[in-house]
Amino acid sequence: MTRALEFYRSPARYLAARGIAAAPGGARLAGAVAGSVSPLRLVDRPDPQPDGPGWVRLRPLLSGICGSDLALFTGRSSPYLGPLVSLPFVPGHEIVAESLEDFPGIPKGSRVVVDPVLSCTARATELCPHCSAGRPSRCGHITTGTLGPGLQTGFCAATGGGWSRSLLAHTTQLHPLPDTLDDRSAVLVEPLACAIHSVRRAAVPPGASVLVVGAGTVGLLTVLALRELSAAGPVYVVAKHAHQREKATSLGATETFAPGRTARALRLVAGGALERPDFGAEFLLGGVDMAFDCTGGASGLDTALRTVRAGGTVVVSGMPSGSVDLTPVWFRELSLIGSYASDGGGDTASRPDFAEAIGLAGRAPLASFVDAVFPLSRWREAIGHAVAAGRLGSVKVVFDPNQN
């Protein structure tokens, strides 16, 4: 048996969490009650067993709490994703783990990070065109094959997830780690690979002005990827808290802005006319060349759309939630790009996103990002801390499943 946190089907609890999050002041209240209201429980489950060739058992060392996990627990995730998961599942897709058995090229006891996308190869199906092209994040078979539905490890009942003491992964998902990369940096490789993917998807032109909306884990890692892997010009960051502004600046941000003054601040540095409608937020006729929304919230995407110049590009990096006025996309002829997970790195990349992320994590100051580590037994406290991470001065909250 293995100890694990399990997300189970409970429409009543989902709707209760959604109602709390939507209420006035709900964002703050959601953190306090998420553990009590969300359909999440600590259980002892049978150890997952390999079913077919290529599957390996892993022992998670650290596993992160992602914004997409929090959206699920607080009822903010889109119903669109409902058919793409299988219940009950063990969350946790940001994983550094130890292999519990040998597999070709990586002996038992090796440390690995997990690419959570469950592609055609893992599902033992014929390769879809996207997987054939090295873009498993677009896989068309995520509800078929030998596994139940599951867009990723951590959302699939058959594989388990990182919020446990044991899970399954396919060898194609595993990336060995150098001894020089500590666990706290390694657990950030998956979100860093996603940030790298979004920067590559955007194809940032040399000298382009860029706005990064949000300075949580995804936003900060996007700043790092922009500075390391593109020739972007000024990079401006919308950051709510002082520690986020400091970290963004240390990673190469040109300037940081508070959320309520973004359009006005950008008018001074990027140009444009500030317009104030009778209803809704102000916007720029002008602004930056590109914006990355890394918040996963309606207000973040709205800010991005309202501060990009005509003909500019907005990249959706955080999992969207809430409704957004898309009028700027039409009127300013914006290009809207979605960026999900990671892949082989694109046609012009020198190496895949995960390989790039492992190398970058080894030379970037990331260990300090992981500043709150919880055992599974304190999962209610951990979820509450993660919901309030910015206000509490944290960046990444993680589980150590081997702590008692």
Side-chain angles (χ1 to χ4, degrees):
M1 303 294 285
T2 187
R3 179 60 55 95
L5 282 171
E6 183 179 83
F7 187 86
Y8 60 98
R9 186 181 301 280
S10 176
R13 284 181 172 266
Y14 173 83
L15 291 173
R18 191 178 184 89
I20 291 169
R28 184 180 294 260
L29 185 60
V33 302
S36 300
V37 175
S38 298
L40 193 65
R41 60 195 174 194
L42 187 61
V43 298
D44 290 312
R45 293 162 49 107
D47 287 317
Q49 297 298 321
D51 183 17
W55 288 94
V56 178
R57 290 182 303 121
L58 302 177
R59 181 174 71 91
L61 302 174
L62 292 177
S63 185
I65 301 176
C66 177
S68 59
D69 300 320
L70 298 179
L72 182 67
F73 303 150
T74 56
R76 293 180 292 110
S77 60
S78 169
Y80 175 93
L81 299 173
L84 309 182
V85 303
S86 49
L87 296 169
F89 63 79
V90 177
H93 58 275
E94 301 173 351
I95 307 166
V96 54
E98 177 185 68
S99 63
L100 294 179
E101 52 208 30
D102 293 315
F103 57 96
I106 304 179
K108 177 180 178 180
S110 298
R111 287 188 316 131
V112 296
V113 287
V114 179
D115 180 348
V117 174
L118 294 166
S119 65
C120 291
T121 302
R123 294 179 171 280
T125 66
E126 182 179 354
L127 292 184
C128 71
H130 301 299
C131 287
S132 295
R135 297 193 179 278
S137 61
R138 303 179 186 179
C139 179
H141 291 160
I142 56 177
T143 60
T144 62
T146 55
L147 303 174
L151 66 166
Q152 292 187 351
T153 296
F155 296 94
C156 179
T159 63
W163 298 4
S164 68
R165 293 179 177 173
S166 180
L167 79 149
L168 291 178
H170 195 267
T171 55
T172 56
Q173 295 179 275
L174 302 181
H175 301 266
L177 294 171
D179 293 338
T180 54
L181 191 64
D182 63 276
D183 289 345
R184 292 196 178 202
S185 297
V187 77
L188 294 168
V189 165
E190 192 277 338
L192 179 54
C194 294
I196 289 170
H197 181 55
S198 68
V199 170
R200 285 173 162 170
R201 286 271 293 138
V204 182
S209 57
V210 180
L211 177 69
V212 176
V213 185
T217 303
V218 175
L220 291 172
L221 295 179
T222 298
V223 175
L224 175 63
L226 282 165
R227 285 308 188 207
E228 292 287 332
L229 301 176
S230 82
V235 175
Y236 307 109
V237 178
V238 180
K240 184 181 295 184
H241 303 285
H243 75 283
Q244 295 174 336
R245 293 192 288 271
E246 292 171 1
K247 280 187 164 55
T249 300
S250 72
L251 293 173
T254 306
E255 193 171 348
T256 62
F257 310 133
R261 59 180 293 269
T262 303
R264 299 182 187 187
L266 280 178
R267 180 174 63 86
L268 297 177
V269 296
L274 186 67
E275 303 296 338
R276 299 177 178 86
D278 290 336
F279 302 99
E282 58 195 15
F283 62 89
L284 283 177
L285 293 178
V288 292
D289 299 317
M290 313 187 76
F292 290 74
D293 171 42
C294 302
T295 66
S299 62
L301 181 54
D302 190 59
T303 296
L305 294 174
R306 290 170 181 265
T307 52
V308 170
R309 63 166 175 79
T313 299
V314 173
V315 182
V316 183
S317 294
M319 186 180 77
S321 63
S323 59
V324 178
D325 184 355
L326 296 178
T327 302
V329 178
W330 163 74
F331 179 61
R332 307 303 283 163
E333 296 193 339
L334 305 181
S335 296
L336 192 61
I337 295 176
S339 179
Y340 164 68
S342 61
D343 64 18
D347 299 331
T348 61
S350 59
R351 53 181 175 170
D353 297 334
F354 255 81
E356 194 73 65
I358 290 171
L360 183 50
R363 62 181 187 270
L366 298 183
S368 65
F369 282 34
V370 178
D371 46 17
V373 182
F374 290 88
L376 295 176
S377 60
R378 292 169 57 195
W379 61 273
R380 290 182 178 87
E381 183 182 353
I383 298 298
H385 191 117
V387 171
R391 179 169 52 85
L392 296 175
S394 293
V395 177
K396 174 58 65 176
V397 181
V398 305
F399 284 112
D400 179 349
N402 302 294
Q403 281 189 27
N404 294 318

